[in-house]
Amino acid sequence: MEAITITRTASPKEKPDFSTLGFGKHFSDHMFLMNYETGRGWFNPRIVPYGPFQLEPSSMVFHYAQEIFEGLKAYRTKDGTIQLFRPEENFKRMNKSAERMCIPQLDVDFCVEATKALVSVDRDWVPDLEATSLYIRPFIIATDAAVGVHASHTYLFCIILSPSGCYYPEGLNPVKIIIEDEDVRAVKGGTGFTKCGGNYAGSLRAGERAAAKGYSQVLWLDGVERKYIEEVGAMNIMFKIDGTVITPALLGSVLPGITRKSVLEIVREWGIPLEERALSVDELLAALKAGKVEEVWGTGTAAVVSPVGEISYKGEKYQIADGGIGQLTQKLYDELTAVQWGDKPDTRNWIIPIDN
Ligand SMILES: *Cc1c(COP(=O)(O)O)cnc(C)c1O
């Protein structure tokens, strides 16, 4: 791979107030770009000032959604250094998404280097307040100027950076979720296991209906029988029922979350019984009615671990235990965030420092 060229902006932007960042609203001074052409491979890796793209209206991504993305974060430690959490996992997953969507493969190590180089150039954009981070969004779009349906021969790979606020300004806060029994997100054989934009477009309607009823997230069921639990909007879901952690197995329709994988590794390490298997709504409701559901939480890069306080299904509301934050949920959140922000030694080889 060629060396990454760096063109610095002549007019750095004014930084936003790090105490009121929110999520995904501000973008840093630079972005990483790299092109692809069939027969030539990936070429011209470069860091350039952040700014608009110029694309033909016929660009394939606009018509057939040949697009994939990733999401990870850079964290500033108390001593001011910057670090990434398992970035190679994101680019390995991006390659699996790419394979499914006929997008060319990337070199995982090169992508990690590109991410490090970009974050290093925009290091001042990594916020330093408690629980804030720099959200990193790599994505690939199909750029052939043609409206015939086929895989594109040209692509653009891009990474942008967004300083993001603390997800829980008032401390871990339980969310209410609603089981969707009409729309489905994914089916086996489809694209559920990929991070592709199309999956999200198809899920917006259920999200809006949930929000109108006061629920912050949709809990998806399997696309065939609408019987088995799959995952939440942009999080994987876990239950602690009668002492055992249960989470849906990865069978093609569920997104293989890196937070999910990390939490399961910790759960195993702590010796807590764990089952990755199918969990039906009926089994969950029976356990809820028997008072055996001790904790429910979602996992994802943005929120890390998100306690669930209430689940709604077919108009009925079910409170989880006392509706507060479960003990294990809190412990998992504390463990993962301590490693991510460098408050605890990284004993699992999950941290990649940015050369400071
Ligand atoms: C990104 C995502 C997740 C969480 O994955 P992480 O790697 O933990 O951030 C879960 N479900 C869906 C649908 C996602 O897009």
Side-chain angles (χ1 to χ4, degrees), residues 117-197:
L118 178 63
V119 173
S120 186
V121 165
D122 275 342
R123 64 181 60 227
D124 293 346
W125 287 84
V126 185
D128 54 1
L129 298 180
E130 172 92 20
T132 60
S133 57
L134 183 71
Y135 185 76
I136 303 169
R137 166 57 58 88
F139 62 101
I140 301 176
I141 57 173
T143 52
D144 272 13
V147 292
V149 179
H150 59 78
S152 186
H153 301 290
T154 60
Y155 296 88
L156 182 66
F157 174 88
C158 179
I159 308 176
I160 53 176
L161 306 174
S162 176
S164 296
C166 173
Y167 204 86
Y168 298 106
E170 281 109 42
L172 264 192
N173 211 0
V175 295
K176 297 198 293 179
I177 61 177
I178 184 165
I179 298 180
E180 171 65 36
D181 57 3
E182 189 183 339
D183 291 357
V184 298
R185 192 191 84 94
V187 290
K188 289 185 186 70
T191 56
F193 68 93
T194 72
K195 266 184 127 65
C196 71

Side-chain angles (χ1 to χ4, degrees), residues 34 42 68 91 94-95 98 104-109 111 140 157:
M34 177 164 73
W42 290 105
I68 54 174
F91 292 108
M94 196 170 206
N95 270 341
Q105 295 286 293
L106 296 147
D107 184 290
V108 170
D109 293 335
C111 290
I140 301 176
F157 174 88

